[in-house]
Amino acid sequence: MIKIAIYGKGGIGKSTVTSGVSAALAVDGYKVMQIGCDPKTDSTINLLGGQTPPPILQYLQEKGKPADLDALVRTGFGGVACLEVGGPTPGVGCFGRGMLTAFELLDEMDAYVRYTPDVVLYDILADIVCGGIAVPMREGFADKVAIVTSGEKMALLAAKNIILALRNFADRNYAELGGLILNRRDMPDEVERVSDFAREMDTEILGIIPRDRTIHAFEEHGQTIVEGDPAHSTSARFFDLARTLAAFAQKRDAA
């Protein structure tokens, strides 16, 4: 099993990318778990036909610890196990602490033993990399970090902050930077701009997702493009990215 945290600023398309990767991995025969770590609780909606699982934090607040994981987990396209962390009561509490509470509950209830995923994907909002948002990278919950960005200035700034935060833990055997995922906005020289940034930060581009209205057309029906049209050229980009991320596990095991 390998756990990959997918970070990026709000609105950059993390959930679209993460869900597309989950769907592609599932089609390729991997057992996948996707955990949405955003108070909007919409990470897994396009794996579940437009529905969402009950947010873990809200469930705990209203009903206490569930008797069984079935109360929290929904099975999506390709058998992907879908969960949503949710968020704390507005104006009260820390989202980072909420993530930690949710992750600890999943460990306590042996979620990874029961569902035996080959790949776990965390979809994490990270406009500001505070200590709480850095929980997955610094608490050992994730093995690798991939950062979704475009060529836009604010997206690259967020990516830089995430990389710097990650490297603060480089000597503690925490998550390692896997690389960047370019979710294109079709800016002039966007690929070159992000390639230059990757060289500056001593990392690489893991995959490039084109700006494609077809993605959004399928999302209107609660689907990823991989589910809606697996033969589409943009779906091929998701399959390529999914295989690149899955290869992290092979490289780790061979090391």
Side-chain angles (χ1 to χ4, degrees):
M1 177 175 66
I2 190 163
K3 299 177 180 179
I4 302 171
I6 299 182
Y7 279 85
K9 72 179 290 294
I12 200 61
K14 294 181 308 306
S15 296
T16 292
V17 169
T18 306
S19 295
V21 167
S22 288
L25 287 168
V27 171
D28 274 352
Y30 291 94
K31 296 180 72 174
V32 184
M33 176 179 285
Q34 181 170 323
I35 304 176
C37 304
D38 187 321
K40 296 194 305 297
T41 67
D42 60 355
S43 173
T44 58
I45 193 170
N46 292 316
L47 293 166
L48 292 165
Q51 304 300 310
T52 57
I56 296 172
L57 296 182
Q58 278 77 359
Y59 191 100
L60 290 173
Q61 182 181 22
E62 295 170 7
K63 301 181 181 180
K65 180 181 174 181
D68 189 271
L69 285 165
D70 288 341
L72 303 174
V73 182
R74 297 292 181 268
T75 301
F77 171 76
V80 177
C82 300
L83 300 99
E84 296 283 352
V85 169
T89 302
V92 179
C94 166
F95 178 57
R97 179 62 197 174
M99 274 199 296
L100 184 57
T101 298
F103 296 165
E104 289 176 341
L105 176 69
L106 295 178
D107 274 339
E108 182 183 341
M109 298 187 71
D110 292 326
Y112 307 114
V113 175
R114 174 171 172 180
Y115 290 94
T116 61
D118 301 304
V119 182
V120 178
L121 298 175
Y122 302 100
D123 173 9
I124 304 172
L125 174 68
D127 286 86
I128 300 173
V129 188
C130 67
I133 297 299
V135 161
M137 63 173 73
R138 68 179 175 84
E139 296 288 350
F141 290 105
D143 303 301
K144 288 283 188 178
V145 169
I147 302 170
V148 179
T149 187
S150 66
E152 297 163 313
K153 182 178 179 180
M154 295 308 295
L156 292 174
L157 178 60
K160 183 175 183 178
N161 287 337
I162 295 163
I163 292 170
L164 294 176
L166 183 62
R167 288 177 176 165
N168 282 333
F169 308 119
D171 61 345
R172 304 185 194 179
N173 200 32
Y174 289 162
E176 298 177 343
L177 177 64
L180 307 175
I181 300 168
L182 171 53
N183 193 28
R184 295 197 61 178
R185 293 291 186 266
D186 284 345
M187 300 171 56
D189 303 320
E190 187 170 27
V191 175
E192 292 79 4
R193 183 181 300 209
V194 177
S195 296
D196 289 345
F197 174 78
R199 283 191 292 272
E200 175 190 343
M201 302 306 296
D202 192 25
T203 189
E204 63 179 325
I205 298 175
L206 301 169
I208 299 175
I209 304 300
R211 191 174 182 86
D212 188 338
R213 293 181 180 177
T214 310
I215 293 174
H216 306 295
F218 282 114
E219 288 183 339
E220 288 293 316
H221 299 283
Q223 294 180 313
T224 66
I225 191 172
V226 172
E227 177 182 0
D229 186 356
H232 195 283
S233 60
T234 296
S235 295
R237 297 293 189 95
F238 280 105
F239 280 107
D240 289 343
L241 176 57
R243 290 161 188 164
T244 297
L245 295 178
F248 285 148
Q250 300 166 6
K251 292 176 183 177
R252 179 197 58 190
D253 294 342

